[in-house]
Amino acid sequence: MSPFTSKGGTGKLARRWFGSAGQGRGVSAQNQSDRAMTQTAPLDIATAFTKAWTSHDLEKAASLVADDVVFDGPMQQSTGKKPYLEGLTKLSQDVTGVRMIAAFGDDHQALLMYDLMTKSSGALSCAKHLTISDGKIHSDKLTFDSKKLGSAKPKAN
């Protein structure tokens, strides 16, 4: 199986994201204006969600999450909106900012890569795959190097 092939082995996802120009959905003004006349694209929901929770607007973030959301991350696995938001709330207390590196999506999912700035661990490079339907996040798979948690040295005063 190619490293860019989806689990089903069709490779359609890979061609959409890594194929010829115009086939993928990256963050761009053109892509956003194409979607403005129809529905909110999963990529737009994913980036709005990330911007909301990393800027401590947890009410906005919660409005984009489905009741049956499934989360799979290095430090937590959960099913349901309540435990998901509890984990997110705890993490957000340590967040000082975010720097988006890349964002791609199609009609059902989004893939984000970003540096999460934290008080306790400095910058954590994260990759997040979200599946989205009916304007809500239904699954969130997060990966980052959890060994970096708590490893940042406090800044001298």
Side-chain angles (χ1 to χ4, degrees), residues 23-90:
Q23 288 184 332
R25 274 245 179 266
V27 177
S28 74
Q30 181 63 43
N31 287 343
Q32 290 176 357
S33 67
D34 289 348
R35 287 292 188 154
M37 293 184 281
T38 58
Q39 62 182 0
T40 304
L43 181 57
D44 296 331
I45 292 167
T47 54
F49 169 76
T50 303
K51 181 179 179 181
W53 80 263
T54 58
S55 63
H56 311 283
D57 186 352
L58 295 169
E59 186 175 325
K60 168 74 174 175
S63 74
L64 299 170
V65 176
D67 290 337
D68 64 348
V69 66
V70 175
F71 177 73
D72 181 15
M75 307 301 289
Q76 174 185 333
Q77 293 77 43
S78 64
T79 299
K81 190 172 185 174
K82 184 178 179 193
Y84 179 71
L85 292 174
E86 287 171 352
L88 197 62
T89 299
K90 184 177 176 184

Side-chain angles (χ1 to χ4, degrees), residues 49-156:
F49 169 76
T50 303
K51 181 179 179 181
W53 80 263
T54 58
S55 63
H56 311 283
D57 186 352
L58 295 169
E59 186 175 325
K60 168 74 174 175
S63 74
L64 299 170
V65 176
D67 290 337
D68 64 348
V69 66
V70 175
F71 177 73
D72 181 15
M75 307 301 289
Q76 174 185 333
Q77 293 77 43
S78 64
T79 299
K81 190 172 185 174
K82 184 178 179 193
Y84 179 71
L85 292 174
E86 287 171 352
L88 197 62
T89 299
K90 184 177 176 184
L91 176 60
S92 74
Q93 293 169 357
D94 192 40
V95 172
T96 61
V98 66
R99 183 180 68 85
M100 193 65 64
I101 296 169
F104 299 93
D106 62 19
D107 292 336
H108 307 287
Q109 58 194 341
L111 181 65
L112 309 178
M113 184 168 191
Y114 54 91
D115 285 334
L116 187 65
M117 309 309 169
T118 66
K119 297 173 199 169
S120 65
S121 302
L124 296 173
S125 292
C126 302
K128 179 181 282 270
H129 176 256
L130 300 158
T131 57
I132 298 164
S133 63
D134 301 321
K136 303 280 184 179
I137 296 167
H138 287 268
S139 73
D140 177 343
K141 183 171 180 85
L142 171 68
T143 187
F144 63 89
D145 184 359
S146 60
K147 287 186 266 185
K148 282 191 76 174
L149 290 179
S151 66
K153 296 181 180 168
K155 293 179 182 176

